[in-house]
Amino acid sequence: MRKRNHRSPITSVILYSLLALTLVFVFFPLFWMLVTSLKTPIEANELPPTLIPRTPTLDAFKFLLERWHYPEVLLNTFVIATFSALGATILSGMAAYGINRLQFPGRSAFYGFMVATLALPGMVTIGPIFMTYKDIGLLDTRLGLTLVFLSGGLPLAMLVVFSALNSIPRDIDDAAAIDGCSWFDTLFRVMLPIAMPSFVVSFLLLFIHAWNEFLFAYILSVTPEKRVLTVRLFEMPNRGDVYLPQYDLIAAGGVLVLLPIIPILILGQKRLVEGILAGATQGT
Amino acid sequence: MAQAESALSPTRSRTRHEAGFFAKYWMAYLLVLPAIIVRFAYTIIPLFRTLWLSLTNMSITNPGEFVGLRNYAMLFQDELFINSLGWTFVYTVSATLIETALGLAFAVLLNQKLRGQSTAIFIVMLPWVIAPMLASNVWKLLLYDSTGIFNQTLTMVGLDRIPWLSDPFWARVSVTLVSVWKNVAWVSLIFLAGLRSLPKEVLEAAEVDGAGPFTRFFRVSLPLLQSTTLLILLLRGMGEIQTFEQIYGLTMGGPGTSTRTLALLAYERFFTEFRYGYGSAVNMWLFLFAALVGFYYSWKLYQAAR
């Protein structure tokens, strides 16, 4: 409050203009996608482009809903993202608890291993994973993709939960033990409720990551019904009858992929920021 | 119960003599090993298989035999590999630096007490939740050569069109631009948190001593943000060096081979030409570079956790 008072009008104008410029840079591409998705194929190609659709239509959406196998693809994406995020959060939560609270040989090596593998590019491992999946029949299955994303989410989930556990003072464990709690009670009645928000954060982060992933989803699925949304986005269907670039379809496809994620962002904005910070700033 | 209790509170005196290794630690390993085993199966085992493949001449038509380092020797006569290596380096460095600088600027701006601040933070966060493949589609709509809105705007104000995606130089600019747009959100959030956790007394003391806003930023805030900045540079560098999705979505490595990063080259060799051995050798280089950045970063985390 104090600062706003002794800011000169000129400074204010400059600051607000810069803010407006920033927001235009960030938001305009998305706005343009939304606008284009509501145009007819002809208007989407019109010169000069119209800022507001003259005759708004949902044709592009209708076309994609049919041609994309949208219900199946949406269900695939949702199931894979949910179960991989849930699985990774649970496994990482267990590991984070063990590493943070128990003493055993190899403790810090395990932690180091989990974090170090973050640096491994997906491209380096996908070839052999593809070959193995083909041999053992996991290619083109939801289970196969779920497991890949589960493994991919483990390090981030562990950092998020670990940093939450780290902030719970060890005195609480001791106090619970003195009060006669078994380790089992301590874990489920004391630690878990306190660490719960970090599990939610980890789940949300991993859900978004899995929702957005393309490379593994593209390589490890084959039939259209087994694809996920990002892959469908890449394989834009052709609208044979209109010989024009299909801007409206590209835009509508984008909206169809993005829309289901927006509620998570709106409801979980604060938690997500916490998660991003916990994932990134563990070491500082 | 005695073992479990002593394991729960590592600071207390250990009772090593009374139980065997298994009885003492089974709980800890039961908790930690499932995650470790899954991660191991999906990272270390495929990594070693890639290493093995890179030493063979396996392809879709050839079951493969051991050829030693021949693939690696071939790589250095392959002009495409050298170009790709150079572009990956240029792209990683420029995208990382621009993202970091712009993210810092955004964070400073969002940290001012302006109206609509929380809405602004929400909007700046949007590109972060967007799939890389989606980001490239969003930008395609703006960048198309003939009818994209960027070129339309340029034409309207009487300037020449820019071949955003069809000229090697401009395609490289476009690819970098999309990465910056996508990743600046994350950088801003980390910097914003860093700015907010700066000690207020120090900044106020500087203000009392007559330091202007710019002196305060460059002489006080920025030095205090040093470790945050290093962290961001490392994490973004690690991310950019392995970029595949955005570029594949936007240009598929083209025009020609101008935006083909190492990851794209490895992808093409492995999955479109089915040269498993050669593709794996490209991947080993990608691994080496990512590991150089990544292990330095994880070493810092590892030390912090000890």
Side-chain angles (χ1 to χ4, degrees), chain B residues 184-207:
Chain B
V184 75
W186 182 88
V187 178
S188 312
L189 290 176
I190 308 282
F191 268 132
L192 191 57
L195 283 171
R196 285 183 175 169
S197 65
L198 289 180
K200 291 208 171 49
E201 315 82 61
V202 179
L203 288 169
E204 274 163 15
E207 197 174 355

Side-chain angles (χ1 to χ4, degrees), chain B residues 1 19 35 41 50 68-69 74 102 116 125 128 141 165 170 185 190 197 200 202-203 218 240 251 255 265 272 275 279:
Chain B
M1 211 72 275
T50 297
L69 294 172
M74 268 160 70
L102 199 62
M125 247 181 103
W128 173 78
L141 293 171
L165 298 172
W170 285 106
I190 308 282
S197 65
K200 291 208 171 49
V202 179
L203 288 169
F218 284 106
E240 297 303 352
T251 64
L265 183 70
T272 59
R275 291 163 75 187

Side-chain angles (χ1 to χ4, degrees), chain A residues 164-199:
Chain A
L165 290 176
N166 224 5
S167 65
I168 303 175
R170 266 144 233 271
D171 296 351
I172 289 188
D173 307 42
D174 291 342
I178 289 165
D179 288 350
C181 269
S182 67
W183 65 265
F184 189 81
D185 284 340
T186 314
L187 177 58
F188 282 94
R189 302 241 180 113
V190 184
M191 302 294 278
L192 208 56
I194 305 181
M196 208 49 190
S198 72
F199 281 81

Side-chain angles (χ1 to χ4, degrees), chain A residues 16 25-26 47 103 105 108 115 117 120 123-124 128 132-133 147 151 183 212 214-215 218 247 254 280 283, chain B residues 1 8 10 27 29 39 42 49-50 115 129 134 144 147 152 181 186 231 242 245 248 267 283 287 301-302:
Chain A
Y16 278 103
F25 170 68
V26 174
L47 309 179
Q103 199 65 257
S108 46
V115 180
T117 52
L120 190 64
M123 190 58 82
V124 177
T132 308
Y133 267 29
L147 287 173
S151 152
W183 65 265
N212 287 342
F214 169 78
L215 175 64
Y218 184 52
Y247 299 134
Chain B
M1 211 72 275
L8 262 179
M27 189 64 209
Y29 287 112
R39 193 68 189 152
Y42 276 93
R49 194 148 174 217
T50 297
R115 232 162 290 188
V129 294
L134 178 53
Y144 271 124
T147 44
Q152 284 306 314
W181 178 80
W186 182 88
L231 180 91
Q242 49 176 293
E245 303 189 359
Y248 194 65
Y267 174 84
N283 263 326
F287 166 69
L301 289 194
Y302 174 71

Side-chain angles (χ1 to χ4, degrees), chain A residues 30 33 211 253-263, chain B residues 126 129-131 134:
Chain A
L30 294 171
M33 172 175 76
W211 189 275
V255 175
L256 284 176
V257 175
L258 182 59
L259 218 52
I261 286 285
I262 293 295
Chain B
L126 278 173
V129 294
I130 282 174
L134 178 53

